[in-house]
Structures are given as C-alpha cells and as structure tokens.
C-alpha cells in the first residue's frame, strides 16, 4: 500500500513537471502548437469574437436610434422652414405689388423724371466705381459695366424705394433654396447610409441568434443570392464618414451667413484688424449710404451701388419730384413698400437662422453617427461573408526558435498568421510574455485581427 502511494505521488510529480515543462517551453516558444492546438485556440478566439459581434450589433441598434431621433427633428425643421418660406414669399409679393404701383405713379411725370435720371446715372456710376477702386484690388471695370446695365433697366424710383434690396432678397431666396436642396441631399445620403448599415447588421444578428454557438454564414447571404447594398455604393469611394458630408458645407455656410449683415443693411462698421487697419475687402458707404459692403458683394450685385445715391444731386432731386401735385416717394405707397420689405427681410433672416440650426444639428448628429460607425459599423460588412468559420489561427512561430532565451531577457515576440472572416490572411506579432497556452493568447490574437479588419472594412475607411 505504501509502495502504491509512493508510486502515485511520483506519477503526480512527473505530471506536474510535464505541465510546467510545457508552460516553460511554450513561453519560450521552444514548443510550437500542433494542428489540434491551433484548432482549439481558434475556437476560443471565435467565442471571444461572437461576443464582440453581439456587442457591435447592439451598438448599431443604438446608432439607428440616434438616426430616428434625428429624423423626428428633421420633420420639425421642415415644417418650420416651409411655414417661414411661405410667409417670406407672401411678404415679397406684397412688396413687388407696391413697387409696381409706384412705377405707375412714375409714368405721370415721365419727362421730368427722365431728365433727372439721365444725369443721376453717370454720377451714381462714377461715385461707386471711385469708392470701389479705392478699396478693392480689381474688378472696377466690371462693376462699372454691370451697374450701367442695371441702371438702364431700372426705374428711377428704385434707387429710393430700396430697389436694390428687392434684388438682394430675391437672390437670397435663390441661394436659400439651393442651400436647402443641398442639405436635404446630404441628409438623405446620411439616412440611407445608416439604413444600409442597420439592415445588413440585422441580417447578421438573425443568423447569430439562430445558429449558436459557432458563427458561420450560409449560402443565402452570398452575393449571388442576396441583393447587396454596399456602403460604398451610397457614398463616394472610399467612404470617409458621415461628418464629412457636412464639413465642407459648414465652412461655406459660415461665409454665407456672415455676409447677411452687410447685405441686409445692418449698420455696423467693419471691425479693424489687429494692427488697427481696416479690412481692405470692405467698402464703407457712410455717410453717403448705410453701412458697408464687401468688394465681392458689389461685384456680385452692382445694384448695391444705389447706396451712394445721396452724393449725387440729381439723384436726390428724384426723391422729391412733384408729379402733377403728387409726391410718390413721400406718400403711403412708399411706406407700405418699406413695411413689406421689412417683413420679407425679417422672414429671410428667420429662414437663414433655421437653415443654420438645421445644418448644425446635422453636423453634430453626423459626428455621433461616425463614432458609432467606427466602433460598431464593421459588423454590417459580415452580411457579405460566405466563410464557414469566422476565425482561424493558421500558424504560430517565434522569430528565432533555435536560440535559447537568456536569463532575465524578455521572451521573443510570437508571430501569428490569422484568417478572419473573408479578409486576406493577416500576419502580426503577439508579445512574447503571453504564451500560446495562455487562454488570454486567443483573445489577444482575435482582438488584434478584429482591429485590423475594422481598418479595412467596407464600412470604415
């Protein structure tokens, strides 16, 4: 009996020594894993990846919730924009009707008006070109020609009834429509992108839930039998992210909205630069006009030169002309016109504020969607996968298996060759202090492979 106990202890001791020897050999990469060992490590890695896939699917669901909340806000913005646009158009129609009535009054004193107008036009042109050329580096000839064309088709009364403002507001309306269409196109792209990621992720989710614990993709998900909607087909190739849809627009809109101050006759001087000099791109129209204009604005709409009307005597006389006992520019029609223009301007600025808020909301939402997409969107690309297995460690080798590790020296890094999903074979290294016999080894390899897969996924570029 004593002999048997001694023999059992001896065998246990040998077994412990064998395990220790195996651990030491694997840690020093002297003993490489067999094919069966690789299969077992791969299975452990698959279990780890199954959890990551489940986590990513939940993340995509959160992503979809963010987009749904954005969709609700989007509808509210559309309603507010449509209401404001209608109010703006009604006010503009009223202003145009008042302008037409004043034009009829003008015809009563046509001869007198015509004589004053022919002397007013050249003065207005020369004055504007003079102030423009003092400040702006180029384009004075173009401004002069454009202004001459505008004056030849403009009513004399227009320079005193904010005729240039009607033109400005109409141009602004066209810009607003273009801006809105652009925003809507970008929003639709973003919504379609999220829908695609969500739809493909849910197909992956269905298969994970119905085929535990080993994850593999059957033929019904193959490109031959599934209508594929790649994220790249919705965006330019490569896809650089949702926020990039709105980033260029944010830059343009800052210039777009900042120009509204001078265009709408906000009475404010141009702020000086740090050295005290005035911005060279701004033409100050006071005391002859009201406020300031940029060189670009005058080139774009030379009717802004009407602001210099006070400097020309014959232009000033038009304001007080007596047409058969009537003074059209001193009567109620002009007041009604100015009220209608003020309302149009108010609703135009309100519409711009709504557009700006909408764009900022989309920019912020796209940033959140990008965060979710970078972290979880990769799972949607698995809907295209047709591999029977999701993870397989093909080889595990050391940089140098012949040299012994010196005492006190860090173990050599371990080279691994891995197949993940349907991606090309990946080759990378694992820290040498994690032997392949350590359960942590399979998780480290699986996570590294997954990180590399995300970088080259069809969803994240």
């Amino acid at each position: 009996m004593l002999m048997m106990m001694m023999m059992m202890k001896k065998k246990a001791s040998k077994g412990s020594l064998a395990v220790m020897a195996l651990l030491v050999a694997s840690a020093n990469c002297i003993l490489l894993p067999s094919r069966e060992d690789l299969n077992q490590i791969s299975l452990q890695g698959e279990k780890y990846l199954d959890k990551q896939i489940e986590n990513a699917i939940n993340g995509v669901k959160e992503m979809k919730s963010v987009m749904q909340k954005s969709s609700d806000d989007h509808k509210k913005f559309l309603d507010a924009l449509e209401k404001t646009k209608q109010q703006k158009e009604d006010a503009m129609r009223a202003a145009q009707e008042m302008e037409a009535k004043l034009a009829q009054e003008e015809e009563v004193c046509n001869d007198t008006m015509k004589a004053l107008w022919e002397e007013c036009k050249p003065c207005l042109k020369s004055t504007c070109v003079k102030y423009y050329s003092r400040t702006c580096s180029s384009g004075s000839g173009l401004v002069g020609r454009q202004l001459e064309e505008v004056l030849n088709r403009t009513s004399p009364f227009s320079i005193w009834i904010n005729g240039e403002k009607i033109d400005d507001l109409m141009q602004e309306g066209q810009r607003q429509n273009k801006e809105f269409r652009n925003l809507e196109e970008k929003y639709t792209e973003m919504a379609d992108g999220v829908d695609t990621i969500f739809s493909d992720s849910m197909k992956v989710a269905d298969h994970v839930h119905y085929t535990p614990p080993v994850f593999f993709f059957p033929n019904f998900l193959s490109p031959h039998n599934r209508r594929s909607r790649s994220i790249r087909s919705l965006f330019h190739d490569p896809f650089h992210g949702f926020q990039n849809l709105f980033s260029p627009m944010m830059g343009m809109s800052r210039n777009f909205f900042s120009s509204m101050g001078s265009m709408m006759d906000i009475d404010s001087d141009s702020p000086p630069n740090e050295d005290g000099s005035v911005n060279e791109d701004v033409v100050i129209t006071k005391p002859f006009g009201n406020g300031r204009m940029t060189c670009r604005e005058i080139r774009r709409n030379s009717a802004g030169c009407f602001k210099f009307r006070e400097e020309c005597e014959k232009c000033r006389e038009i304001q007080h002309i007596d047409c058969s006992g009537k003074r059209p520019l001193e009567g109620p029609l002009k007041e009604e016109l100015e009220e209608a223009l003020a309302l149009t301007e108010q609703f135009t600025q309100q519409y711009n504020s709504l557009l700006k808020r909408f764009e900022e909301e989309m920019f912020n939402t796209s940033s959140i969607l990008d965060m979710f997409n970078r972290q979880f969107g990769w799972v949607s690309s698995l809907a295209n996968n047709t591999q029977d297995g999701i993870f397989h460690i093909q080889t595990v080798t050391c940089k140098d298996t012949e040299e012994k590790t010196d005492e006190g020296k860090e173990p050599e890094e371990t080279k691994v060759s891995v197949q993940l999903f349907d991606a090309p074979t990946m080759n990378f290294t694992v820290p040498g202090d994690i032997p392949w016999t350590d359960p942590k080894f399979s998780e480290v390899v699986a996570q590294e492979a997954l990180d590399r897969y995300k970088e080259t996924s069809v969803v994240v570029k």
Side-chain angles (χ1 to χ4, degrees), residues 324-344:
S324 302
K326 294 182 179 180
R327 294 179 182 270
L329 293 179
E330 297 176 8
L333 279 178
K334 184 173 183 289
E335 292 180 8
E336 291 176 24
L337 172 63
E338 289 176 346
E339 288 175 4
L341 283 174
L343 272 178
T344 306

Side-chain angles (χ1 to χ4, degrees), residues 131 274 352 367 445:
Y131 277 86
E274 291 182 3
N352 273 334
S367 176
V445 174

Side-chain angles (χ1 to χ4, degrees), residues 177-217:
N177 291 339
K178 183 178 179 180
E179 180 85 359
F180 174 73
R181 287 193 301 269
N182 198 6
L183 275 171
E184 279 295 278
E185 288 173 5
K186 299 299 183 184
Y187 181 84
T188 300
E189 283 188 64
M190 183 170 71
D192 285 349
V194 173
D195 284 346
T196 297
I197 294 171
F198 179 77
S199 176
D200 286 348
S201 298
M202 292 307 100
K203 290 175 182 177
V204 175
D206 289 342
H207 197 68
V208 171
H209 294 153
Y210 290 116
T211 319
V214 178
F215 190 96
F216 95 106
F217 300 89

Side-chain angles (χ1 to χ4, degrees), residues 32 91 97 143 189 197 218 224 302 351 368 394 404 407 434:
L32 298 178
E97 288 174 5
V143 168
E189 283 188 64
I197 294 171
H224 301 291
S302 55
Y351 191 92
I368 297 171
Q394 298 172 332
K404 294 181 179 179
E407 188 175 350
I434 306 176

Side-chain angles (χ1 to χ4, degrees), residues 46 49-50 52-53 204 215-217 378-379 381-382 384-392 418-426 446 449-451 453-454 457:
E46 283 197 8
L49 288 169
D50 282 343
Q52 301 308 307
I53 290 170
V204 175
F215 190 96
F216 95 106
F217 300 89
W378 59 270
V379 74
S381 67
L382 300 185
N384 292 318
N385 191 61
T386 56
Q387 298 278 343
D388 284 350
I390 66 170
F391 180 70
H392 182 62
V418 178
Q419 176 74 46
L420 178 64
F421 307 131
D422 56 359
T425 299
M426 305 177 193
L450 182 58
D451 290 342
Y453 179 81
K454 290 178 183 180
S457 166

Side-chain angles (χ1 to χ4, degrees), residues 60-228:
V60 170
K61 290 178 181 178
E62 287 293 321
M63 184 180 183
K64 178 66 173 178
S65 298
V66 170
M67 193 65 226
Q68 183 58 53
K69 172 63 167 59
S70 172
S71 178
D72 295 339
D73 293 339
H74 176 236
K75 291 176 183 176
K76 294 177 183 177
F77 272 115
L78 290 183
D79 290 342
L81 284 166
E82 182 58 33
K83 180 180 178 181
T84 304
K85 182 180 179 182
Q86 188 62 51
Q87 292 171 322
K88 178 185 66 173
E89 290 176 348
D90 289 344
M92 176 58 81
R93 276 193 292 272
Q96 290 171 328
E97 288 174 5
M98 295 302 105
E99 184 184 33
K101 289 179 180 179
L102 277 172
Q104 291 173 0
E105 295 281 352
E106 177 188 322
E107 293 177 2
V108 176
C109 49
N110 190 49
D111 292 339
T112 308
M113 182 75 74
K114 184 177 180 181
L116 291 173
W117 184 230
E118 290 305 317
E119 293 185 67
C120 167
K121 288 192 291 185
C123 176
L124 198 57
K125 175 183 172 182
S126 62
T127 302
C128 184
V129 170
K130 178 178 68 175
Y131 277 86
Y132 178 91
S133 58
R134 281 182 184 176
T135 303
C136 309
S137 58
S138 62
S140 58
L142 174 64
V143 168
R145 290 192 299 274
Q146 288 178 339
L147 177 58
E148 190 169 343
E149 292 175 3
V150 170
L151 292 174
N152 286 337
R153 65 173 186 266
T154 298
S155 157
F157 277 173
S158 293
I159 65 172
W160 290 108
I161 59 173
N162 289 316
E164 82 280 6
K165 183 172 288 188
I166 292 178
D167 289 340
D168 282 342
L169 289 169
M170 291 183 70
Q171 288 187 21
E172 175 65 4
Q174 293 171 358
R175 283 192 292 270
Q176 287 177 340
N177 291 339
K178 183 178 179 180
E179 180 85 359
F180 174 73
R181 287 193 301 269
N182 198 6
L183 275 171
E184 279 295 278
E185 288 173 5
K186 299 299 183 184
Y187 181 84
T188 300
E189 283 188 64
M190 183 170 71
D192 285 349
V194 173
D195 284 346
T196 297
I197 294 171
F198 179 77
S199 176
D200 286 348
S201 298
M202 292 307 100
K203 290 175 182 177
V204 175
D206 289 342
H207 197 68
V208 171
H209 294 153
Y210 290 116
T211 319
V214 178
F215 190 96
F216 95 106
F217 300 89
N219 291 332
F220 79 87
L221 285 178
S222 70
H224 301 291
N225 297 322
R226 189 179 72 88
R227 185 181 178 186
S228 177

